[in-house]
Amino acid sequence: MAVTVYRGDIAYAENEKTLRTAEASYLVVEDGFVKNIFPQLPEEYGELPVTDFGRGLIIPAFSDLHIHASQYVQRGTGMDKLLFDWLNDCTFPQEARFADMEYARRVYDALVRDLIRNGTFHASIFTTVHYEASDYLFRLLDRKGLYAYTGKVNMDVNSPDFLREETEESLRSTERFLAEHGDSPTVKPMLTPRFAPTCSEKLLKGLGKLAKKYACGVQTHLVESIAEVKWTLELFPQYRCDAEIYEKCGLLDGGQSIFAHVIFPSEEDLSILRKAGSIAVHCPDATANVTAGIMPAAALSKRELPIALGTDIGAGAEAAVYRQVSRAVQLSKLKEFFEPEGNGRLSFAQAFYMATKAGGSVFDRVGSLEPGYRFNALVLDGLEDDVGPMAPADRLERFCYAGDDRNIIARFLDGKPLEAE
Ligand code: GUN
Ligand code: FE
């Protein structure tokens, strides 16, 4: 058995209320999994070399459950538009370029580099409608050993001609994607209908059959803006709410469902998501940039809806999901300020939990440093002023508000050091 010992300060969120911290402690890793954390090193490990990070802070690697890999090159542009104009004017023309593999390789290489640099080792990722480019991203994530879901996007209606797929062809290439990507230990294919307005009912029902046949989950956008909710219900008048479309078309039967945004859910939406064991993804920057509304994250989590965080690149402008931790707290305070009834706000611990253990829950034992979790971890440094030491929790909070990848001095994936490029 391979055993390694690290010494340093430690912080991780055990649940939405509890941020565990320890100072000058020993973290023992056995075969890539956390064995335990000890204030003193037990005798049985006494012979082993210790990697000492001093006042370095060991934390779990991050989980970003909503990224559009193809929109990486759009980040920080077109940000004064609202959702539909941003999609039509900026996003769709840009996504069409992924028919060109040279372009796709460059963008996807850069995104994955940026994710690793920023400590996101667990992610749920959209590509575009293009098979080859989507295949390239899948293989790249697999080669890097990152924990991920990804799938090629489906869109067969209400889409520009240069992106719109024929229904049967969309189903065929999705089935091929599922059939040819079942072999990675860490990356899983996922159904990725863009959102209800760009999918016909026939397409969604076809995807529902694939969900069952391949025991496959689904990721999509749900009730992201008032205009989107209204349009969806006009297009699907026979359904009571957005979530019911996915439920009735069989898309929630195959595996994990991941719904981005969930800003304007009805009671029916919520009960369907809870019943399906879905997770909602709060993307604070994206919300502020291209949509109108703030996810009632504090209220929804009180109502037993699991919530993770996402950058939603490129509606969100940076790959650092830890920045979304601070933004989630900020937006929850604005939400409470403008709508004091029934909202409440997020604590830092709760938002950090969302970006680590909650998001990690859709993968296998990632997102925490409790015994039995994979040692997928980062070491943070350089967060203290030279006027005196700061507690681990304060350093972690400062990192999420004011830190960047320069504060990440080491990265571990499955217990092995991971070099950022
Ligand atoms: N709804 C449909 N497509 C998209 C997208 O690419 N980004 C966001 N934020 N919302 C969407
Ligand atoms: Fe999105």
Side-chain angles (χ1 to χ4, degrees):
M1 191 182 329
V3 185
T4 37
V5 183
Y6 302 94
R7 184 182 172 282
D9 297 343
I10 294 163
Y12 61 90
E14 192 174 302
N15 54 50
E16 52 180 40
K17 292 205 176 72
T18 318
L19 186 70
R20 298 257 175 228
T21 61
E23 291 192 76
S25 294
Y26 296 85
L27 191 153
V28 175
V29 177
E30 283 185 4
D31 287 337
F33 292 90
V34 177
K35 173 74 178 169
N36 217 333
I37 294 166
F38 304 98
Q40 259 95 42
L41 192 63
E43 226 165 78
E44 59 182 301
Y45 306 113
E47 302 285 293
L48 294 168
V50 175
T51 303
D52 190 350
F53 288 112
R55 288 191 64 75
L57 184 65
I58 307 171
I59 67 167
F62 290 101
S63 312
D64 182 344
L65 290 203
H66 187 58
I67 301 173
H68 296 262
S70 58
Q71 295 169 15
Y72 182 67
V73 275
Q74 283 175 244
R75 66 200 191 287
T77 64
M79 300 276 84
D80 54 358
K81 294 178 189 287
L82 291 180
L83 181 61
F84 291 152
D85 288 342
W86 174 80
L87 284 173
N88 289 319
D89 300 348
C90 307
T91 306
F92 291 158
Q94 203 281 120
E95 288 195 9
R97 299 190 64 182
F98 284 76
D100 172 359
M101 277 308 295
E102 173 62 21
Y103 184 79
R105 271 194 289 270
R106 282 189 190 199
V107 177
Y108 289 167
D109 285 351
L111 168 80
V112 170
R113 220 181 293 131
D114 208 358
L115 291 178
I116 292 174
R117 211 184 279 144
N118 280 291
T120 296
F121 299 167
H122 326 120
S124 191
I125 309 180
F126 283 48
T127 56
T128 59
V129 295
H130 308 94
Y131 185 91
E132 302 292 321
S134 305
D135 169 70
Y136 179 80
L137 180 71
F138 189 103
R139 305 286 174 205
L140 175 61
L141 294 164
D142 176 56
R143 247 188 348 268
K144 298 287 182 189
L146 299 179
Y147 287 78
Y149 286 108
T150 189
K152 71 155 238 80
V153 168
N154 303 98
M155 42 202 294
D156 71 334
V157 291
N158 299 314
S159 311
D161 287 345
F162 54 79
L163 271 188
R164 187 165 38 80
E165 306 171 291
E166 294 303 325
T167 311
E168 291 304 331
E169 178 49 28
S170 183
L171 289 169
R172 254 197 312 278
S173 80
T174 302
E175 178 153 20
R176 180 178 164 213
F177 195 85
L178 302 181
E180 291 185 2
H181 296 88
D183 54 350
S184 165
T186 61
V187 189
K188 306 286 169 222
M190 194 170 240
L191 296 168
T192 311
R194 180 166 211 124
F195 67 153
T198 58
C199 299
S200 66
E201 191 182 33
K202 185 170 175 215
L203 173 63
L204 291 172
K205 287 189 167 157
L207 294 178
K209 290 205 180 93
L210 295 180
K212 240 191 212 111
K213 182 169 172 190
Y214 291 89
C216 175
V218 63
Q219 58 179 345
T220 190
H221 300 90
L222 200 85
V223 295
E224 180 178 4
S225 78
I226 289 170
E228 186 232 89
V229 174
K230 188 164 168 284
W231 192 27
T232 300
L233 294 179
E234 277 164 19
L235 292 167
F236 291 86
Q238 64 280 41
Y239 295 89
R240 284 178 308 164
C241 64
D242 204 351
E244 192 182 52
I245 301 170
Y246 300 99
E247 181 193 40
K248 290 275 162 67
C249 291
L251 279 141
L252 308 184
D253 298 339
Q256 180 65 50
S257 40
I258 301 177
F259 288 107
H261 304 301
V262 195
I263 298 172
F264 302 102
S266 65
E267 285 302 318
E268 282 100 356
D269 282 309
L270 290 179
S271 86
I272 290 167
L273 299 198
R274 272 195 297 260
K275 194 163 129 231
S278 309
I279 192 162
V281 191
H282 182 23
C283 308
D285 272 353
T287 287
N289 289 331
V290 301
T291 73
I294 297 175
M295 186 206 225
L300 290 180
S301 66
K302 273 192 213 120
R303 304 194 53 199
E304 314 284 302
L305 182 69
I307 301 175
L309 293 186
T311 55
D312 196 9
I313 279 176
E318 48 177 347
V321 76
Y322 48 85
R323 191 77 70 232
Q324 300 311 305
V325 173
S326 52
R327 297 280 202 266
V329 175
Q330 290 172 334
L331 284 199
S332 76
K333 291 162 91 175
L334 285 174
K335 180 97 183 152
E336 188 187 43
F337 180 82
F338 287 109
E339 297 169 47
E341 276 314 299
N343 268 309
R345 54 183 192 267
L346 298 175
S347 67
F348 172 76
Q350 195 171 2
F352 181 72
Y353 169 76
M354 289 175 181
T356 52
K357 190 174 174 182
S361 69
V362 302
F363 304 102
D364 179 24
R365 291 168 288 171
V366 305
S368 178
L369 296 176
E370 291 157 74
Y373 274 74
R374 295 175 193 280
F375 189 55
N376 293 358
L378 314 173
V379 184
L380 308 181
D381 207 353
L383 292 157
E384 292 174 291
D385 303 308
D386 64 3
V387 292
M390 285 169 72
D394 291 338
R395 276 180 268 158
L396 180 61
E397 189 175 359
R398 177 171 287 178
F399 173 67
C400 292
Y401 277 79
D404 61 38
D405 60 293
R406 290 169 299 184
N407 297 110
I408 306 177
I409 59 161
R411 297 163 181 79
F412 295 92
L413 181 59
D414 283 317
K416 295 188 205 73
L418 180 66
E419 293 305 321
E421 294 167 37

